[in-house]
Every structure is written in C-alpha cells, then in structure tokens.
Amino acid sequence: TWVDYLGQRVMGAYRHIPQREWTLIGSIGEEEVFGPIYIQLAMMAGSTLLLVLLLLPAATFLTNQIKHPIEWLIRQSQLVAREDYALASQGKYEKSTSREMGNLCDTFTAMSSKIEHTVQMLKENEAELQKLNTDLEDKVQRRTIQLRESKERYEALLQQSVEAIVIVDGD
C-alpha cells in the first residue's frame, strides 16, 4: 500500500521487466477493495445480532420450561421437609410443561403423598408402642410390688415360725 500522486491510499503491485527496462505498476484504491468487505462484514454482524435477538426469547422460553418446574419441585421438597404435606400435595406444576417435567411433578406429588402416609403410620405406631410401653411398665411395677409383698410375707413367716423348716431336694 502507498499514497498515490493524488494523495489517496492505494493498493498496488509492480513488476520489473529487465529485458525492456520497464516496470509495470497496477494500483487500486483501498476503499474500492475494502468497501465491499466492510459492507459484507457489517451485514454479517447485523445478521448475527438479529439472530441472537431472535434466539434470545426462544432460549428464555426453553430455559423457563425447565427452570420453573424445577423451582416448583424445590419448593415442594422444602414443604415435605417441613412436613407441610397439605400444601405439598396440591397437584403438579400448573403452567404448560413438557410431558417429562409433568411426569416428574406427578411422581413427586405421589411420592410426597406416600411419605405423608408413611410418616402418619410411623406416628401411629409410635403412639401405640408408647401405650404398650406404658402398660408394660405399669404391669412390671405391679408385679414388683406383688413380689416385694410376697417376699415380705415369706420373710415374716420364716422369722416368726418356731418350727424347723427344711427344704428337701427330690434327688
């Protein structure tokens, strides 16, 4: 590249021909060469920007199709962790979801219902075991008192008896 006699930047090439003592020079203005390239680059950049702007809502929509149900599942699992089964079993995620996410939400709801049922059964069993334990403790206490009274009668009988008492082994 160089500046021509008119002060314009030009691109060119030259070739020296020694047999004739000539030098052939060809030149073309830089804007004539780079103009179409810059126009093409601007069109490509504009198309890329337009494509990104068109894809952004689609990407946001697709992301929300996955993100919102997962956030719903996280909130539901927190309700289950707090044992707030009434709110956790209010059905699946309401907005339109993919079939797979809908199935996942349905499965989670069924699973939380099973957990609620299992926890309820465990609480009932625990209450029943507590009642049985209380009954057994009462029975042991009564039997201990009866045994103590029997021992005291036996010891009193032995101490007040004037006759000889012999324990004989059958063998």
Side-chain angles (χ1 to χ4, degrees):
T1 62
W2 62 85
V3 178
D4 69 359
Y5 65 95
L6 296 173
Q8 297 176 344
R9 293 192 50 86
V10 294
M11 297 178 66
Y14 62 91
R15 179 171 187 136
H16 182 64
I17 304 175
Q19 298 90 346
R20 299 225 173 180
E21 298 276 329
W22 288 359
T23 301
L24 291 176
I25 301 173
S27 68
I28 188 168
E30 275 188 354
E31 56 276 342
E32 190 176 341
V33 172
F34 290 127
I37 294 173
Y38 291 147
I39 290 171
Q40 189 68 27
L41 285 174
M43 287 175 46
M44 289 172 57
S47 298
T48 302
L49 182 62
L50 181 63
L51 184 63
V52 167
L53 290 176
L54 289 175
L55 287 178
L56 198 59
T60 302
F61 174 76
L62 290 175
T63 302
N64 287 340
Q65 287 291 95
I66 295 170
K67 181 181 149 198
H68 289 187
I70 289 176
E71 287 173 346
W72 180 86
L73 285 168
I74 289 170
R75 285 191 305 274
Q76 296 304 100
S77 65
Q78 290 168 344
L79 291 171
V80 169
R82 289 194 312 254
E83 295 185 23
D84 194 353
Y85 301 108
L87 291 175
S89 63
Q90 286 184 348
K92 68 179 182 179
Y93 182 68
E94 296 298 326
K95 295 183 182 171
S96 64
T97 60
S98 66
R99 189 183 82 237
E100 294 83 6
M101 290 305 285
N103 288 342
L104 182 61
C105 292
D106 289 340
T107 302
F108 181 84
T109 302
M111 186 175 61
S112 65
S113 294
K114 277 198 177 267
I115 289 171
E116 177 183 19
H117 178 70
T118 303
V119 168
Q120 184 62 35
M121 284 177 48
L122 287 172
K123 286 180 180 180
E124 289 170 3
N125 288 344
E126 182 181 15
E128 189 175 325
L129 283 173
Q130 188 67 32
K131 183 180 178 285
L132 287 172
N133 189 34
T134 303
D135 291 346
L136 275 175
E137 286 178 358
D138 290 345
K139 195 178 236 184
V140 166
Q141 189 176 15
R142 281 194 315 273
R143 294 273 172 99
T144 303
I145 291 170
Q146 288 174 348
L147 184 62
R148 188 177 311 123
E149 289 172 353
S150 176
K151 179 183 173 191
E152 288 171 0
R153 279 196 311 267
Y154 174 73
E155 286 176 351
L157 180 66
L158 282 176
Q159 288 175 0
Q160 294 175 3
S161 175
V162 288
E163 293 156 15
I165 297 177
V166 177
I167 298 176
V168 178
D169 189 354
D171 294 332

